[in-house]
Amino acid sequence: MPPRASAASVKRFVRRQVMRAAYRTDLRRPLDPNLAVYGAYWNRGVACNPAAIHAKARELAPHIRGVWVVSSRHRDRMPPGVPYLIEGSRPYWRAMATATYLVNNSSFPGGFTKRPGQRYLQTHHGTPLKTMGLDQRAYPELARKADFGKLLAHVGQWDFSLSANPHSTEVWDRVYPGPYERLDLGYPRNDVYFTATAEDIAKIRADLGIPPDRTALLHAPTHRDYREGFVPDLDPERLARELGPQYVVLVRAHYFYGRSAGLGAAPTGRVLDVTAHPRVEELCLAADALVTDYSSLTFDYACLDRPIVVHAPDWDAYRRTRGTYFDLLSGRPGDTPGPVTTTPGELAEVFRTGEWRSPASAALRTAFRERFCPYDDGGAAERVVRRFFGVPFAPHGR
């Protein structure tokens, strides 16, 4: 500790030492066979595959007590009635020391010691278009920020790695090498795309303020490593004006950028900032089409078999700085999910002419679904819960 440390830093140092000592004591406690700890997106709350697994476990394995890890700044995201622990707290460290089951789509905070008998399921949180893991070593800007030794140590803790398609499995095997078992079972977060009813979708749209006779377009751009802050590659208000009053544009900024897309007021009322909405799956269900760039949401949305338009004006810069596993703009079946645009005028024209829902677009979407959604069918959460928690199937396939 620095000789002139402030009182606050001294307090933090002492607290860390006390927590570490208590954690070492807890590591000698027996594992709780009925405790599961869940985390998602670096402690941002209940979301993604872990959320779907938690919900299904409550149904199929009610003896398993699930608790969530959340950072103090995101505790307001926790739904009522869902048990949670604040990262770094005394209860957090005790749970990490004694839980038999660990489920996360990213990583648990603080560096925990995985014990014999603990089972760790890494669900991941998307299908990789951009380079991941060890493949990032080829890109200096990414490699400079990464700790590959820490990454490999984390991978060494996994017992299971979940995959939504053969492409993902191949990539995970290479970029996250380890002794874990593959679970080629589909993404639980995508089950809702197969189970939601027309009434469910109508309610979601109504809650968002989308009139039933409007066409809703969802734009959820991904993070750019070569940019600071959220800088959308299309002007949603301009697009809404050009398409006319029958369209509504939903904009969701990447979670790295907070809870607002920062679009300001939309006088027309046809642009909705849905960044703060807690469930991106509901936004997908509400949308009649997805306007995507390089987001992994593209692969999930394909489960719905609804139109997808790729709007990618900075593709060359993105590939050069981040690297990609295939050419999303190639137009080849299986690589491209629909029409491709690179300018605002081209994007508006795709909708004005009806190309977005043409037979040619549908054919591209079908090939894309066949490649990237083969395991998703509405039953992924049940398959994962039964495999991970050891819940047997009942007679007659149940």
Side-chain angles (χ1 to χ4, degrees), residues 14 26 53 59 124 163 168 193 203 209 220 283 291 326 331 370 377 394:
V14 171
D26 287 337
I53 293 168
E59 172 191 335
H124 305 282
S163 180
S168 293
Y193 299 139
K203 183 180 186 308
L283 301 178
V291 179
F326 59 92
E370 289 174 351
D377 58 6

Side-chain angles (χ1 to χ4, degrees), residues 196-212:
T197 66
E199 291 75 18
D200 294 332
I201 294 171
K203 183 180 186 308
I204 294 169
R205 287 173 62 98
D207 290 346
L208 289 169
I210 304 170

Side-chain angles (χ1 to χ4, degrees), residues 272-283:
L272 303 178
D273 184 346
V274 293
T275 303
H277 192 81
R279 292 200 63 197
V280 70
E281 293 84 7
E282 290 189 354
L283 301 178

Side-chain angles (χ1 to χ4, degrees), residues 37-156:
V37 179
Y38 295 87
Y41 295 118
W42 297 275
N43 322 310
R44 285 177 168 85
V46 179
C48 191
N49 292 312
I53 293 168
H54 177 227
K56 185 58 69 172
R58 294 174 75 174
E59 172 191 335
L60 298 179
H63 61 286
I64 300 292
R65 293 178 292 107
V67 296
W68 282 81
V69 180
V70 64
S71 71
S72 57
R73 67 183 180 278
H74 293 306
R75 67 195 309 166
D76 62 308
R77 295 174 184 256
M78 295 303 298
V82 176
Y84 68 90
L85 309 168
I86 299 298
E87 68 168 277
S89 67
R90 179 75 182 89
Y92 164 75
W93 284 113
R94 174 163 290 187
M96 291 302 295
T98 58
T100 295
Y101 303 100
L102 306 170
V103 182
N104 209 309
N105 75 353
S106 51
S107 61
F108 288 102
F112 69 96
T113 301
K114 183 165 175 283
R115 299 173 61 184
Q118 287 188 314
R119 291 159 64 86
Y120 187 171
L121 169 60
Q122 172 57 242
T123 74
H124 305 282
H125 52 272
T127 290
L129 167 64
K130 62 189 177 185
T131 55
M132 302 292 290
L134 295 184
D135 281 351
Q136 295 181 8
R137 291 176 297 182
Y139 296 87
E141 194 61 25
L142 300 177
R144 182 176 58 84
K145 304 174 184 176
D147 184 335
F148 295 106
K150 185 176 179 181
L151 180 148
L152 290 174
H154 178 223
V155 172

Side-chain angles (χ1 to χ4, degrees), residues 17-347:
Q17 296 302 104
V18 170
M19 289 294 178
R20 287 172 182 168
Y23 179 55
R24 287 193 293 270
T25 299
D26 287 337
L27 288 172
R28 294 194 290 270
R29 295 177 181 272
L31 292 178
D32 184 337
N34 296 321
L35 179 60
V37 179
Y38 295 87
Y41 295 118
W42 297 275
N43 322 310
R44 285 177 168 85
V46 179
C48 191
N49 292 312
I53 293 168
H54 177 227
K56 185 58 69 172
R58 294 174 75 174
E59 172 191 335
L60 298 179
H63 61 286
I64 300 292
R65 293 178 292 107
V67 296
W68 282 81
V69 180
V70 64
S71 71
S72 57
R73 67 183 180 278
H74 293 306
R75 67 195 309 166
D76 62 308
R77 295 174 184 256
M78 295 303 298
V82 176
Y84 68 90
L85 309 168
I86 299 298
E87 68 168 277
S89 67
R90 179 75 182 89
Y92 164 75
W93 284 113
R94 174 163 290 187
M96 291 302 295
T98 58
T100 295
Y101 303 100
L102 306 170
V103 182
N104 209 309
N105 75 353
S106 51
S107 61
F108 288 102
F112 69 96
T113 301
K114 183 165 175 283
R115 299 173 61 184
Q118 287 188 314
R119 291 159 64 86
Y120 187 171
L121 169 60
Q122 172 57 242
T123 74
H124 305 282
H125 52 272
T127 290
L129 167 64
K130 62 189 177 185
T131 55
M132 302 292 290
L134 295 184
D135 281 351
Q136 295 181 8
R137 291 176 297 182
Y139 296 87
E141 194 61 25
L142 300 177
R144 182 176 58 84
K145 304 174 184 176
D147 184 335
F148 295 106
K150 185 176 179 181
L151 180 148
L152 290 174
H154 178 223
V155 172
Q157 297 173 323
W158 303 352
D159 296 290
F160 301 95
S161 172
L162 187 61
S163 180
N165 48 63
H167 164 75
S168 293
T169 302
E170 177 187 347
V171 172
W172 301 151
D173 282 353
R174 182 178 67 254
V175 306
Y176 300 126
Y180 53 79
E181 179 181 340
R182 306 173 184 168
L183 295 184
D184 294 336
L185 300 177
Y187 268 177
R189 72 183 186 187
N190 291 344
D191 285 354
V192 68
Y193 299 139
F194 300 89
T195 60
T197 66
E199 291 75 18
D200 294 332
I201 294 171
K203 183 180 186 308
I204 294 169
R205 287 173 62 98
D207 290 346
L208 289 169
I210 304 170
D213 59 342
R214 302 290 169 82
T215 298
L217 309 180
L218 173 61
H219 182 50
T222 193
H223 168 67
R224 266 73 164 171
D225 295 279
Y226 64 93
R227 290 180 183 169
E228 293 293 331
F230 177 62
V231 184
D233 278 299
L234 66 83
D235 181 341
E237 292 186 36
R238 173 182 171 182
L239 178 64
R241 286 195 304 270
E242 291 184 350
L243 296 183
Q246 70 271 30
Y247 284 87
V248 175
V249 180
L250 313 178
V251 182
R252 184 179 181 85
H254 192 275
Y255 57 83
F256 281 1
Y257 304 125
R259 306 188 192 188
S260 170
L263 301 176
T268 63
R270 297 198 300 271
V271 175
L272 303 178
D273 184 346
V274 293
T275 303
H277 192 81
R279 292 200 63 197
V280 70
E281 293 84 7
E282 290 189 354
L283 301 178
C284 289
L285 287 168
D288 298 290
L290 176 69
V291 179
T292 186
D293 49 7
Y294 325 118
S295 171
S296 66
L297 190 63
T298 307
F299 304 95
D300 299 341
Y301 193 83
C303 292
L304 287 166
D305 197 21
R306 296 180 189 174
I308 299 172
V309 177
V310 178
H311 182 65
D314 65 334
W315 177 242
D316 289 341
Y318 188 82
R319 291 197 84 177
R320 184 174 62 254
T321 56
R322 181 63 201 236
T324 60
Y325 291 119
F326 59 92
D327 188 350
L328 188 68
L329 277 62
S330 69
R332 290 189 297 268
D335 284 0
T336 306
V340 173
T341 66
T342 58
T343 68
E346 291 174 352
L347 180 60

